[in-house]
Amino acid sequence: MAGSTPASPTAEVPLAAAAPLIAAAAAPRKTLGGEAWRRFRRHRLAVASALVLALMTFAVLFGSLIWPVPINAIDFAAHLQGPSLAHPLGTDDLGQDLLARMLYGGRISLAVGFASMVIAVLVGTLVGAVAGSSRSATDTGLVWLIDLFLSLPQLPLLLLLIYLFRASLRKLAGLEIGTFILIVVVIGGFRWMSVARLVRAEFLSLREKEFVEAARALGAPQWRLVMHHILPNAFGPVIVAATIEVANAIIAESTLSFLGLGFPPDVPSWGRILYDAQDYLDIAPHWALFAGGAIFLTVMAINYVGDGLRDALDPRRVL
Amino acid sequence: MDASGQPAPAPLLAVRDLVKNFPVKRGFLARAVEEVHAVDHISFAVGAGETLGLVGESGCGKSTTGRCLLRLVEPTAGDIRFAGRDVRALRGSALRMLARDMQIIFQDPYASLNPRMTVGAIVGEALIIHRLVATRREFADRVVELLETVGLGADHMRRYPHEFSGGQRQRIGIARALAVSPKLIVCDEPVSALDVSIQAQIINLLEDLQQKFGLTYLFIAHDLSVVEHISTRVAVMYLGRIVELAPAAQLYAAPKHPYTEALLSAVPIPDPTAKRRRIRLEGDVPNPIHPPAGCHLHTRCPRAMPICAAEIPPPKETAPGHTVACHLY
């Protein structure tokens, strides 16, 4: 096992002499959560990224209180201006303040990213776990389902789904909430396959491991095998996949916004801002740079936090 | 083989005509086209408090036999009785209750402990599964007691398996098996992965535990010298069948089956001047998908006769408690 430390040789001495020696080599008491936090802190990049993420989350949640400029105040006299004191991030083609729009749009982008990731990971883990722990027909059927979803032409289907359900959901939950639910479900619903495949593959290899067999020999029921022995050991790659899903979802949302199927054009999200900016790249590069930079920074930070989490939650890794 | 001539009136574990075939799936829709005959009609009995050694080379079906007993592997056919109960008829919770009587110690102390659980959680898992303790206090006390029984200490409870050496890990595996106070433990090559110096410690520990708790062992190994030390009786397996079963002393002093003779002649003698007649078996073990007809050994046996290729030799009791499956007898 990689990264294992040579343990103290104390317990290899004959039984009678062993007890006092072992007591001398007592390890400090530690809880599981505290231990994971200690290990996470060792990962500098992850800690820095967590700070960046926290700062971003704070900014998009409370930034509009500190910078109370309306997102749709049109001022043609100040259109396409670069950063200035009046507009720290410049303005767009309608003279709207970009900082205000970024702060508002970040809320949507981050919320869509995380919510879609949660759906993708939940569905993927469920499908992967059921497929990986059942034999024969169920497994085959679920693998077919995964392949089916992977081979579907996603964009036309997304369009169809959104056309079909947009009106009724908006009526049910209001314009913004309805659109949010629809987008999150649609993005998450088309992104669980990679997680499902990962989880299934992990399950297939883990369920043959001797420690799982040992638990079976102890009389552990199936749910206990899955929840205590297989799933915790399968989560390393899933955490990494989850962080990538957040990034993918943020980008997928921008695609939908671009096609006019996401949020209405007057509601900004980072992806929406980026797409609006592309026609003006040569005369107003700041417009695209800030939105793109925010997406880039978020995705990077999430990836590093994912790496740190994976390492911190794996007790075999020496940190 | 009928209860192997074991003098004990009712054996703790009686196995009759146990068969395990693994399907080999190939081709369109993964149909089972062939079968690996891992365990081929074996019968034996283990009396309470004794240790039955089960030896044979890699792939002869000894581990599969051990796993069939605990129903970790579903036997294809045969009859397994534990203390009179039909093990193969057990279903659901009754099957899980079998775990309180029969436990297993694994070969690889690195693969057999969950890397994400603390030693305390690993050793105490059975206590939770079978609700053997009522409070956290009781749980901790019992886990410490188990750890101390195997020569570890209370301070090891909160550590993770990777912080231990191979020998210590094997002790953790033993403590886990002891948690349910089992009657029989299948020791599946428990020392094969350990250093020679530590092998002796683990074997001594197993012997101490046997005396202390009145345990019965099915001790699987590929090393005859390890088995000689701990076993009351020894069964020798070749290609899924038991070829010879005898009290340990008798088997080592006067082996009957040509395969046993060959195995024994391969055990090194710790004396460089000692000479011994080496019996070499030519060739490799045949493929268990297509085992040879008649006696499985006839393709390699130095004393093979025409009948060996034609008929399966029935087990024959040549002396009290000593059974051989060979046409020579």
Side-chain angles (χ1 to χ4, degrees):
Chain A
M1 217 158 280
S4 70
T5 44
S8 63
T10 44
E12 300 302 3
V13 297
L15 287 186
L21 280 172
I22 287 161
R29 301 195 153 214
K30 50 203 179 190
T31 63
L32 209 61
E35 179 65 7
W37 172 233
R38 183 191 70 76
R39 297 160 66 86
F40 185 75
R41 277 183 324 197
R42 292 279 182 92
H43 208 297
R44 300 235 166 119
L45 212 49
V47 174
S49 301
L51 280 178
V52 168
L53 266 187
L55 206 70
M56 287 229 194
T57 315
F58 182 81
V60 302
L61 285 181
F62 304 108
S64 52
L65 300 175
I66 303 161
W67 189 253
V69 175
I71 58 164
N72 49 7
I74 293 170
D75 177 8
F76 284 109
H79 85 291
L80 294 176
Q81 273 179 1
S84 65
L85 269 182
H87 304 288
L89 299 186
T91 57
D92 63 11
D93 58 339
L94 299 176
Q96 299 174 113
D97 181 65
L98 276 177
L99 178 58
R101 290 180 74 79
M102 288 279 297
L103 290 175
Y104 188 92
R107 252 184 248 179
I108 293 177
S109 288
L110 288 183
V112 166
F114 278 101
S116 307
M117 176 270 281
V118 168
I119 290 183
V121 167
L122 282 182
V123 175
T125 306
L126 189 71
V127 173
V130 171
S133 50
S134 61
R135 288 164 203 267
S136 69
T138 318
D139 181 33
T140 314
L142 287 173
V143 170
W144 279 354
L145 187 74
I146 292 171
D147 288 343
L148 176 80
F149 264 80
L150 279 173
S151 60
L152 283 177
Q154 297 204 357
L155 210 52
L157 224 90
L158 280 181
L159 303 189
L160 185 70
L161 281 175
I162 288 174
Y163 274 125
L164 282 177
F165 296 108
R166 184 164 55 180
S168 49
L169 254 176
R170 280 182 180 176
K171 222 177 281 168
L172 211 72
L175 183 65
E176 285 196 18
I177 304 282
T179 312
F180 178 78
I181 294 174
L182 185 63
I183 287 184
V184 162
V185 168
V186 160
I187 293 177
F190 277 98
R191 296 238 163 239
W192 54 269
M193 293 83 75
S194 57
V195 176
R197 284 197 152 174
L198 269 177
V199 172
R200 176 178 172 269
E202 288 285 317
F203 265 59
L204 288 183
S205 84
L206 283 168
R207 74 178 189 196
E208 305 297 334
K209 286 267 155 65
E210 278 193 346
F211 66 81
V212 177
E213 204 171 25
R216 219 144 53 83
L218 288 177
Q222 180 75 18
W223 67 264
R224 192 179 179 90
L225 295 181
V226 172
M227 298 307 288
H228 283 72
H229 296 279
I230 302 181
L231 206 52
N233 283 290
F235 251 122
V238 173
I239 288 174
V240 178
T243 60
I244 296 170
E245 283 314 319
V246 176
N248 280 339
I250 290 176
I251 292 163
E253 186 273 326
S254 15
T255 313
L256 290 180
S257 299
F258 181 62
L259 293 169
L261 291 163
F263 292 91
D266 55 323
V267 178
S269 72
W270 288 347
R272 179 84 213 181
I273 295 173
L274 190 61
Y275 275 111
D276 287 346
Q278 64 177 350
D279 291 339
Y280 299 91
L281 273 179
D282 44 354
I283 47 172
H286 65 273
W287 188 1
L289 275 180
F290 287 121
I295 294 178
F296 171 75
L297 206 61
T298 311
V299 170
M300 287 284 283
I302 292 170
N303 277 334
Y304 283 126
V305 170
D307 278 358
L309 272 181
R310 183 197 53 197
D311 292 352
L313 294 176
D314 186 349
R316 278 165 302 181
R317 230 168 255 270
V318 179
L319 284 178
Chain B
M1 228 175 297
D2 192 4
S4 317
Q6 171 62 20
L12 183 63
L13 176 75
V15 176
R16 192 189 299 269
D17 280 330
L18 184 68
V19 180
K20 176 62 193 177
N21 297 331
F22 290 104
V24 180
K25 290 181 179 173
R26 227 176 264 159
F28 185 59
L29 290 177
R31 277 168 311 167
V33 285
E34 285 172 322
E35 283 180 331
V36 176
H37 303 272
V39 178
D40 191 2
H41 294 93
I42 70 169
S43 306
F44 61 87
V46 193
E50 77 161 344
T51 301
L52 177 67
L54 193 58
V55 290
E57 55 201 300
S58 306
C60 73
K62 41 191 205 304
S63 288
T64 305
T65 305
R67 282 165 162 75
C68 280
L69 300 184
L70 281 93
R71 294 272 303 274
L72 292 175
V73 165
E74 210 52 53
T76 307
D79 184 52
I80 303 169
R81 285 188 186 273
F82 182 85
R85 268 181 302 158
D86 183 357
V87 170
R88 286 197 63 204
L90 298 177
R91 296 280 176 272
S93 59
L95 176 58
R96 288 198 299 275
M97 285 300 285
L98 179 70
R100 293 186 58 175
D101 290 326
M102 261 200 259
Q103 272 303 316
I104 181 165
I105 299 167
F106 292 91
Q107 172 176 7
D108 185 350
Y110 292 86
S112 61
L113 304 177
N114 186 341
R116 281 173 196 272
M117 282 166 78
T118 59
V119 169
I122 291 172
V123 171
E125 183 166 22
L127 304 176
I128 295 171
I129 293 171
H130 296 288
R131 297 199 182 83
L132 298 177
V133 289
T135 63
R136 277 169 189 276
R137 182 82 236 147
E138 242 178 274
F139 176 83
D141 288 348
R142 176 78 176 123
V143 170
V144 169
E145 184 190 335
L146 286 163
L147 286 174
E148 280 167 356
T149 308
V150 298
L152 297 172
D155 293 302
H156 290 116
M157 240 179 109
R158 289 169 183 277
R159 297 214 207 154
Y160 287 91
H162 73 270
E163 298 173 62
F164 294 86
S165 67
Q168 287 174 313
R169 287 181 192 218
Q170 202 55 290
R171 288 172 193 267
I172 297 168
I174 294 170
R176 168 175 61 191
L178 289 176
V180 291
S181 314
K183 295 191 182 73
L184 181 139
I185 298 182
V186 174
C187 306
D188 188 5
E189 306 208 28
V191 297
S192 302
L194 305 176
D195 289 348
V196 179
S197 58
I198 295 164
Q199 287 191 355
Q201 290 177 13
I202 296 295
I203 292 199
N204 288 338
L205 173 66
L206 287 172
E207 283 185 328
D208 290 347
L209 295 173
Q210 181 165 40
Q211 286 190 348
K212 196 168 165 190
F213 299 114
L215 294 170
T216 306
Y217 290 144
L218 178 69
F219 196 97
I220 300 168
H222 59 249
D223 184 342
L224 277 169
S225 49
V226 166
V227 177
E228 180 179 17
H229 185 70
I230 196 169
S231 299
T232 325
R233 291 181 306 136
V234 176
V236 180
M237 274 185 88
Y238 180 75
L239 218 59
R241 290 183 189 154
I242 290 181
V243 295
E244 185 163 7
L245 199 162
Q250 208 170 324
L251 186 101
Y252 284 84
K256 291 246 161 58
H257 200 279
Y259 182 66
T260 318
E261 286 179 346
L263 277 186
L264 280 174
S265 80
V267 175
I269 312 170
D271 175 4
T273 59
K275 283 269 181 277
R276 173 159 59 187
R277 194 174 56 94
R278 284 290 300 274
I279 302 165
R280 285 176 202 276
L281 293 181
E282 300 297 327
D284 290 323
V285 182
N287 187 340
I289 295 178
H290 303 290
C295 173
H296 282 171
L297 190 65
H298 84 261
T299 53
R300 303 170 74 196
C301 181
R303 297 159 78 180
M305 303 174 290
I307 189 178
C308 297
E311 275 178 44
I312 300 172
K316 196 177 284 176
E317 191 159 355
T318 57
H322 192 150
T323 354
V324 187
C326 180
H327 288 300
L328 288 170
Y329 302 96

